[in-house]
Amino acid sequence: MNTNAPVFSKTDNLKFFRTLNKRVNDYFKENHIDKTGNWKLHLKTIVMFSIFLTPYFFLLAMDMPFWTYLLLNVVIGIGMAGVGMNVMHDGNHGAYSNKSWVNKIMGGSIYILAGNVYNWQVQHNVLHHTYTNILGHDEDLEAGRIMRFTQEAKWYKFHKFQQYYSVFLYGLLTFNWAITTDFLQMKRYLKRNLSYGEFKSPAIRWTTLIITKVIYFSIWLVVPMILGITWWKVVLGFLVMHYTAGVILSVVFQLAHVVKETENPIPDENGEIENTWAIHQLYTTANFAPKNWLVNYYTGGLNHQIEHHIFPNISHIHYDKIAEIVKQTAKECELPYNEFKTTRAAIASHFKHLRDLGRQPQLA
């Protein structure tokens, strides 16, 4: 990855962010609302953890038909993604609560979702949120050779089929977190001295990673085997759980940034991006299904990615309210506001985009 970070333009003749920030702050002040979570988020936390963990305890306590066993692992995967999008995500952005210790606890839920707080905060909060959709800096665009997410990425013949095989790879997201990604990322980030907040020694980082991985695999693999579930059923259930969560999380993430309507800005010869950071988020991010209650609820507001990217420290439970402010301000400044009315439309755009990127460049 390119380590020479691009610089965003400091000139905003439209005064977009200054105007928007004032309007959003006024909304919270006038309505006497905290920007962090409230009882709605607390209740949702209970719901998501219940979906995630209740089937797990049923699996441990009861003998059941094989198809029921697999179905419950699918439910665990759905809950796993739900906890990640609704609880862990807000916690690690410092948006769950105005108390830092609560955010740490909720953000720490990633340890039972297969991830690592340090790695996630660097990749997501530092790299993705700062350098959104900039190849070589936003790791969400990095998938090795197997996927081509931008026109600037090298093309291989097998990319002609990526719109077909992509969904099978998406299911490996959280499984890779558990097995390899965290170790590779930690080595890479520590070498570059990257951190989000307090910088802790490499020894502490590695110790935390190893201990939490041991706990994680003990919970999901060792304990079920000790309690009498056949090893191959445990392993298969583990894979089903991860595949379910991986597909959900990957698709939600891709619909926000890897669609035909979003851009992949390239720094100029001086390493500068054309727009200011806030305006850059409008060009590189998209919303989907903003009026769909179920999508809003389950994805933790990640279907309101524009609002999330401009205001990452505001809890997702407020996004549907501030979305109109953002949309109106963008319209007044004649700036884009990429929005798909339905999830289906966003999915169609994503896979059409993969198809287009999979074509041989000179023929595209």
Side-chain angles (χ1 to χ4, degrees), residues 13-279:
N13 294 327
L14 303 173
K15 302 295 186 294
F16 167 71
F17 186 65
R18 185 184 304 174
T19 301
L20 176 61
N21 197 45
K22 182 181 184 304
R23 290 176 177 177
V24 170
N25 284 332
D26 287 346
Y27 164 78
F28 284 99
K29 289 178 183 178
E30 292 169 4
N31 291 282
H32 307 289
I33 302 172
D34 287 334
K35 294 181 179 180
T36 52
N38 55 24
W39 67 269
K40 294 180 181 179
L41 181 55
H42 304 157
L43 178 59
K44 187 190 284 194
T45 300
I46 296 172
V47 171
M48 293 301 165
F49 269 106
S50 296
I51 297 172
F52 180 41
L53 294 178
T54 302
Y56 171 74
F57 292 115
F58 273 117
L59 294 177
L60 297 182
M62 299 173 59
D63 188 20
M64 59 188 64
F66 182 60
W67 69 268
T68 306
Y69 177 83
L70 291 182
L71 181 60
L72 286 181
N73 276 286
V74 170
V75 175
I76 294 174
I78 293 171
M80 178 180 173
V83 171
M85 293 185 290
N86 291 275
V87 182
M88 180 278 289
H89 191 255
D90 268 26
N92 279 319
H93 272 295
Y96 188 96
S97 170
N98 53 21
K99 297 179 175 61
S100 61
W101 65 270
V102 175
N103 287 320
K104 286 183 178 180
I105 291 174
M106 296 306 169
S109 63
I110 195 174
Y111 291 122
I112 60 171
L113 304 178
N116 175 270
V117 168
Y118 167 71
N119 290 334
W120 191 91
Q121 288 182 334
V122 171
Q123 178 184 349
H124 187 78
N125 293 3
V126 177
L127 300 178
H128 174 63
H129 270 267
T130 306
Y131 309 112
T132 311
N133 269 28
I134 301 176
L135 185 64
H137 300 278
D138 182 356
E139 286 195 358
D140 283 11
L141 296 177
E142 305 290 334
R145 296 180 177 182
I146 196 67
M147 296 294 299
R148 186 171 188 254
F149 289 140
T150 72
Q151 291 286 359
E152 291 68 42
K154 187 174 181 180
W155 179 84
Y156 294 92
K157 288 184 179 180
F158 54 77
H159 287 146
K160 292 185 293 184
F161 308 103
Q162 68 175 6
Q163 73 267 31
Y164 304 114
Y165 64 69
S166 57
V167 70
F168 298 102
L169 296 177
Y170 289 167
L172 301 177
L173 174 68
T174 58
F175 180 75
N176 286 337
W177 281 359
I179 304 299
T180 60
T181 302
D182 274 332
F183 296 94
L184 296 174
Q185 282 184 331
M186 183 161 289
K187 180 180 179 180
R188 184 165 66 249
Y189 296 158
L190 289 175
K191 184 177 181 180
R192 295 173 58 189
N193 293 318
L194 294 176
S195 186
Y196 180 76
E198 180 185 1
F199 186 87
K200 296 181 180 178
S201 71
I204 292 176
R205 296 296 188 193
W206 281 113
T207 300
T208 300
L209 177 63
I210 293 171
I211 290 175
T212 54
K213 289 297 182 184
V214 169
I215 294 173
Y216 176 78
F217 286 112
S218 296
I219 292 172
W220 296 104
L221 295 177
V222 177
V223 171
M225 292 182 194
I226 290 176
L227 294 180
I229 302 177
T230 308
W231 71 268
W232 63 266
K233 286 181 65 176
V234 173
V235 172
L236 182 59
F238 183 77
L239 293 174
V240 168
M241 172 188 75
H242 272 291
Y243 197 82
T244 302
V247 168
I248 294 170
L249 292 172
S250 293
V251 170
V252 169
F253 296 158
Q254 301 292 36
L255 300 189
H257 302 290
V258 187
V259 289
K260 295 173 69 66
E261 287 70 14
T262 56
E263 298 183 7
N264 298 100
I266 302 174
D268 62 20
E269 61 274 8
N270 298 316
E272 185 171 304
I273 297 295
E274 178 182 0
N275 296 303
T276 60
W277 174 83
I279 293 176

Side-chain angles (χ1 to χ4, degrees), residues 7-11 263 273-277 279-280 283 335:
V7 177
F8 293 95
S9 172
K10 294 181 174 59
T11 303
E263 298 183 7
I273 297 295
E274 178 182 0
N275 296 303
T276 60
W277 174 83
I279 293 176
H280 173 83
Y283 280 97
L335 291 170

Side-chain angles (χ1 to χ4, degrees), residues 148 151 155 353-364:
R148 186 171 188 254
Q151 291 286 359
W155 179 84
H353 192 45
L354 289 185
R355 179 198 63 193
D356 293 343
L357 290 170
R359 292 172 177 164
Q360 193 170 350
Q362 60 267 33
L363 300 177

